[in-house]
Amino acid sequence: MIRVQTEDFDIGAEVKALTSGRTDIGALVTFTGLVRDTNGGTVSSMELEHYPGMTEKELVRIEAEANERWPLQASLIIHRVGKLAPGDNIVLVVTASPHRQAAFDAAAFLMDYLKTQAPFWKREETGDKSYWVDARESDGEAAAKWDT
């Protein structure tokens, strides 16, 4: 399941909804990304933009690929857009599998691909400056390890 939204999410409620009534899940991995207050300067806010329609399509593709690679019983990607403040939730990735390694690997894969393949753009504000955040070489290297 994927969602792109401006509203915040409740991690506990999302996990409960995903696992409710499920006794076949042996491992659950969650990752939550938060807005930091520093990134080469003091960040006062971050604005996330996306390409509606294209973004959701890419998230569905990435999630489907994770489900092909690992035995997942459930997965969830929630990504926020709009203006966020330091400490706000940005992204939630949840993977559920019979075994922990598959859940860990799938969650890492989803985050690596979200950082490099999903059409999101970040602009940070630091007091009187505003700038677009460039892709990091380390994110590309992390995603490349999944190319097989």
Side-chain angles (χ1 to χ4, degrees), residues 43-65:
V43 175
S44 58
S45 68
M46 172 189 289
E47 187 158 358
L48 286 146
E49 295 185 5
H50 75 300
Y51 193 111
M54 175 191 260
T55 302
E56 291 83 357
K57 184 177 179 181
E58 185 62 15
L59 295 182
V60 167
R61 186 194 69 75
I62 293 167
E63 184 183 46
E65 185 170 341

mmCIF file of all heavy atoms in Angstrom, residues 43-65:
data_model
loop_
_atom_site.group_PDB
_atom_site.id
_atom_site.type_symbol
_atom_site.label_atom_id
_atom_site.label_comp_id
_atom_site.label_asym_id
_atom_site.label_seq_id
_atom_site.Cartn_x
_atom_site.Cartn_y
_atom_site.Cartn_z
ATOM 1 N N VAL A 43 18.309 24.397 9.621
ATOM 2 C CA VAL A 43 17.130 24.275 8.759
ATOM 3 C C VAL A 43 15.901 24.717 9.541
ATOM 4 O O VAL A 43 15.604 24.186 10.604
ATOM 5 C CB VAL A 43 16.966 22.820 8.265
ATOM 6 C CG1 VAL A 43 15.675 22.657 7.480
ATOM 7 C CG2 VAL A 43 18.179 22.391 7.445
ATOM 8 N N SER A 44 15.188 25.701 9.001
ATOM 9 C CA SER A 44 13.967 26.171 9.652
ATOM 10 C C SER A 44 12.729 25.468 9.110
ATOM 11 O O SER A 44 11.731 25.342 9.806
ATOM 12 C CB SER A 44 13.828 27.688 9.508
ATOM 13 O OG SER A 44 13.829 28.063 8.136
ATOM 14 N N SER A 45 12.810 24.998 7.848
ATOM 15 C CA SER A 45 11.705 24.226 7.264
ATOM 16 C C SER A 45 12.195 23.515 6.011
ATOM 17 O O SER A 45 13.250 23.838 5.459
ATOM 18 C CB SER A 45 10.511 25.122 6.924
ATOM 19 O OG SER A 45 10.824 25.985 5.860
ATOM 20 N N MET A 46 11.407 22.555 5.596
ATOM 21 C CA MET A 46 11.673 21.820 4.366
ATOM 22 C C MET A 46 10.362 21.733 3.597
ATOM 23 O O MET A 46 9.300 21.535 4.198
ATOM 24 C CB MET A 46 12.165 20.408 4.671
ATOM 25 C CG MET A 46 12.283 19.519 3.436
ATOM 26 S SD MET A 46 12.605 17.795 3.861
ATOM 27 C CE MET A 46 14.275 17.942 4.441
ATOM 28 N N GLU A 47 10.450 21.915 2.302
ATOM 29 C CA GLU A 47 9.272 21.746 1.462
ATOM 30 C C GLU A 47 9.534 20.605 0.496
ATOM 31 O O GLU A 47 10.551 20.588 -0.190
ATOM 32 C CB GLU A 47 8.942 23.017 0.701
ATOM 33 C CG GLU A 47 7.622 22.890 -0.031
ATOM 34 C CD GLU A 47 6.991 24.230 -0.354
ATOM 35 O OE1 GLU A 47 7.549 25.272 0.010
ATOM 36 O OE2 GLU A 47 5.929 24.205 -0.989
ATOM 37 N N LEU A 48 8.623 19.648 0.483
ATOM 38 C CA LEU A 48 8.724 18.502 -0.414
ATOM 39 C C LEU A 48 7.684 18.636 -1.507
ATOM 40 O O LEU A 48 6.490 18.830 -1.230
ATOM 41 C CB LEU A 48 8.483 17.201 0.355
ATOM 42 C CG LEU A 48 9.650 16.803 1.233
ATOM 43 C CD1 LEU A 48 9.183 16.119 2.483
ATOM 44 C CD2 LEU A 48 10.578 15.925 0.447
ATOM 45 N N GLU A 49 8.153 18.553 -2.741
ATOM 46 C CA GLU A 49 7.266 18.596 -3.902
ATOM 47 C C GLU A 49 7.335 17.259 -4.620
ATOM 48 O O GLU A 49 8.317 16.529 -4.480
ATOM 49 C CB GLU A 49 7.685 19.726 -4.848
ATOM 50 C CG GLU A 49 7.523 21.096 -4.240
ATOM 51 C CD GLU A 49 7.818 22.225 -5.220
ATOM 52 O OE1 GLU A 49 8.058 21.948 -6.416
ATOM 53 O OE2 GLU A 49 7.815 23.379 -4.791
ATOM 54 N N HIS A 50 6.299 16.979 -5.375
ATOM 55 C CA HIS A 50 6.284 15.741 -6.158
ATOM 56 C C HIS A 50 5.505 15.977 -7.443
ATOM 57 O O HIS A 50 4.911 17.038 -7.634
ATOM 58 C CB HIS A 50 5.688 14.599 -5.354
ATOM 59 C CG HIS A 50 4.195 14.643 -5.211
ATOM 60 N ND1 HIS A 50 3.518 15.685 -4.617
ATOM 61 C CD2 HIS A 50 3.243 13.767 -5.595
ATOM 62 C CE1 HIS A 50 2.223 15.438 -4.640
ATOM 63 N NE2 HIS A 50 2.030 14.283 -5.231
ATOM 64 N N TYR A 51 5.554 14.988 -8.296
ATOM 65 C CA TYR A 51 4.839 15.027 -9.569
ATOM 66 C C TYR A 51 3.635 14.112 -9.413
ATOM 67 O O TYR A 51 3.772 12.894 -9.541
ATOM 68 C CB TYR A 51 5.773 14.551 -10.682
ATOM 69 C CG TYR A 51 5.290 14.828 -12.077
ATOM 70 C CD1 TYR A 51 5.934 15.754 -12.882
ATOM 71 C CD2 TYR A 51 4.204 14.143 -12.606
ATOM 72 C CE1 TYR A 51 5.503 15.998 -14.171
ATOM 73 C CE2 TYR A 51 3.755 14.376 -13.884
ATOM 74 C CZ TYR A 51 4.412 15.307 -14.663
ATOM 75 O OH TYR A 51 3.983 15.544 -15.947
ATOM 76 N N PRO A 52 2.443 14.674 -9.085
ATOM 77 C CA PRO A 52 1.267 13.835 -8.850
ATOM 78 C C PRO A 52 0.991 12.880 -10.009
ATOM 79 O O PRO A 52 1.123 13.241 -11.175
ATOM 80 C CB PRO A 52 0.130 14.852 -8.688
ATOM 81 C CG PRO A 52 0.813 16.102 -8.239
ATOM 82 C CD PRO A 52 2.137 16.108 -8.960
ATOM 83 N N GLY A 53 0.619 11.686 -9.672
ATOM 84 C CA GLY A 53 0.364 10.658 -10.670
ATOM 85 C C GLY A 53 1.639 9.892 -10.975
ATOM 86 O O GLY A 53 1.683 8.674 -10.826
ATOM 87 N N MET A 54 2.671 10.590 -11.389
ATOM 88 C CA MET A 54 3.945 9.938 -11.668
ATOM 89 C C MET A 54 4.560 9.388 -10.375
ATOM 90 O O MET A 54 5.094 8.279 -10.353
ATOM 91 C CB MET A 54 4.915 10.918 -12.315
ATOM 92 C CG MET A 54 6.306 10.352 -12.534
ATOM 93 S SD MET A 54 7.476 11.634 -13.003
ATOM 94 C CE MET A 54 7.523 11.353 -14.757
ATOM 95 N N THR A 55 4.476 10.154 -9.304
ATOM 96 C CA THR A 55 5.053 9.730 -8.029
ATOM 97 C C THR A 55 4.391 8.452 -7.536
ATOM 98 O O THR A 55 5.063 7.484 -7.191
ATOM 99 C CB THR A 55 4.919 10.850 -6.981
ATOM 100 O OG1 THR A 55 5.561 12.022 -7.476
ATOM 101 C CG2 THR A 55 5.530 10.441 -5.664
ATOM 102 N N GLU A 56 3.080 8.444 -7.508
ATOM 103 C CA GLU A 56 2.359 7.264 -7.030
ATOM 104 C C GLU A 56 2.666 6.045 -7.894
ATOM 105 O O GLU A 56 2.860 4.938 -7.376
ATOM 106 C CB GLU A 56 0.849 7.536 -6.998
ATOM 107 C CG GLU A 56 0.432 8.541 -5.939
ATOM 108 C CD GLU A 56 0.591 10.003 -6.363
ATOM 109 O OE1 GLU A 56 1.078 10.285 -7.478
ATOM 110 O OE2 GLU A 56 0.218 10.880 -5.563
ATOM 111 N N LYS A 57 2.723 6.251 -9.198
ATOM 112 C CA LYS A 57 3.035 5.148 -10.115
ATOM 113 C C LYS A 57 4.413 4.573 -9.816
ATOM 114 O O LYS A 57 4.596 3.351 -9.810
ATOM 115 C CB LYS A 57 2.964 5.651 -11.561
ATOM 116 C CG LYS A 57 3.169 4.578 -12.592
ATOM 117 C CD LYS A 57 3.002 5.138 -14.001
ATOM 118 C CE LYS A 57 3.246 4.056 -15.039
ATOM 119 N NZ LYS A 57 3.110 4.573 -16.401
ATOM 120 N N GLU A 58 5.380 5.422 -9.550
ATOM 121 C CA GLU A 58 6.735 4.951 -9.247
ATOM 122 C C GLU A 58 6.784 4.238 -7.897
ATOM 123 O O GLU A 58 7.454 3.229 -7.748
ATOM 124 C CB GLU A 58 7.733 6.107 -9.282
ATOM 125 C CG GLU A 58 9.167 5.680 -9.102
ATOM 126 C CD GLU A 58 9.693 4.740 -10.183
ATOM 127 O OE1 GLU A 58 9.071 4.593 -11.254
ATOM 128 O OE2 GLU A 58 10.749 4.127 -9.947
ATOM 129 N N LEU A 59 6.046 4.742 -6.919
ATOM 130 C CA LEU A 59 6.010 4.072 -5.615
ATOM 131 C C LEU A 59 5.374 2.689 -5.730
ATOM 132 O O LEU A 59 5.840 1.737 -5.099
ATOM 133 C CB LEU A 59 5.265 4.920 -4.590
ATOM 134 C CG LEU A 59 5.902 6.254 -4.209
ATOM 135 C CD1 LEU A 59 5.081 6.949 -3.148
ATOM 136 C CD2 LEU A 59 7.331 6.086 -3.766
ATOM 137 N N VAL A 60 4.336 2.561 -6.530
ATOM 138 C CA VAL A 60 3.712 1.252 -6.761
ATOM 139 C C VAL A 60 4.719 0.306 -7.413
ATOM 140 O O VAL A 60 4.834 -0.867 -7.034
ATOM 141 C CB VAL A 60 2.433 1.394 -7.626
ATOM 142 C CG1 VAL A 60 1.956 0.040 -8.141
ATOM 143 C CG2 VAL A 60 1.328 2.079 -6.826
ATOM 144 N N ARG A 61 5.484 0.823 -8.363
ATOM 145 C CA ARG A 61 6.488 -0.006 -9.047
ATOM 146 C C ARG A 61 7.566 -0.482 -8.076
ATOM 147 O O ARG A 61 7.947 -1.656 -8.054
ATOM 148 C CB ARG A 61 7.140 0.767 -10.193
ATOM 149 C CG ARG A 61 8.094 -0.092 -11.037
ATOM 150 C CD ARG A 61 8.977 0.752 -11.939
ATOM 151 N NE ARG A 61 9.964 1.524 -11.223
ATOM 152 C CZ ARG A 61 11.079 1.013 -10.669
ATOM 153 N NH1 ARG A 61 11.328 -0.270 -10.735
ATOM 154 N NH2 ARG A 61 11.929 1.797 -10.042
ATOM 155 N N ILE A 62 8.063 0.430 -7.254
ATOM 156 C CA ILE A 62 9.108 0.100 -6.287
ATOM 157 C C ILE A 62 8.589 -0.934 -5.284
ATOM 158 O O ILE A 62 9.271 -1.910 -4.964
ATOM 159 C CB ILE A 62 9.601 1.374 -5.571
ATOM 160 C CG1 ILE A 62 10.335 2.295 -6.541
ATOM 161 C CG2 ILE A 62 10.502 1.019 -4.381
ATOM 162 C CD1 ILE A 62 10.570 3.704 -5.996
ATOM 163 N N GLU A 63 7.374 -0.729 -4.795
ATOM 164 C CA GLU A 63 6.790 -1.669 -3.837
ATOM 165 C C GLU A 63 6.596 -3.040 -4.480
ATOM 166 O O GLU A 63 6.878 -4.070 -3.861
ATOM 167 C CB GLU A 63 5.465 -1.125 -3.305
ATOM 168 C CG GLU A 63 4.849 -2.021 -2.237
ATOM 169 C CD GLU A 63 3.510 -1.507 -1.781
ATOM 170 O OE1 GLU A 63 2.673 -1.131 -2.631
ATOM 171 O OE2 GLU A 63 3.300 -1.499 -0.561
ATOM 172 N N ALA A 64 6.136 -3.074 -5.718
ATOM 173 C CA ALA A 64 5.954 -4.344 -6.426
ATOM 174 C C ALA A 64 7.288 -5.064 -6.595
ATOM 175 O O ALA A 64 7.369 -6.290 -6.440
ATOM 176 C CB ALA A 64 5.290 -4.112 -7.781
ATOM 177 N N GLU A 65 8.343 -4.313 -6.888
ATOM 178 C CA GLU A 65 9.655 -4.935 -7.035
ATOM 179 C C GLU A 65 10.119 -5.538 -5.711
ATOM 180 O O GLU A 65 10.679 -6.636 -5.683
ATOM 181 C CB GLU A 65 10.681 -3.933 -7.555
ATOM 182 C CG GLU A 65 12.014 -4.590 -7.841
ATOM 183 C CD GLU A 65 13.005 -3.703 -8.573
ATOM 184 O OE1 GLU A 65 12.598 -2.689 -9.187
ATOM 185 O OE2 GLU A 65 14.208 -4.039 -8.527
#
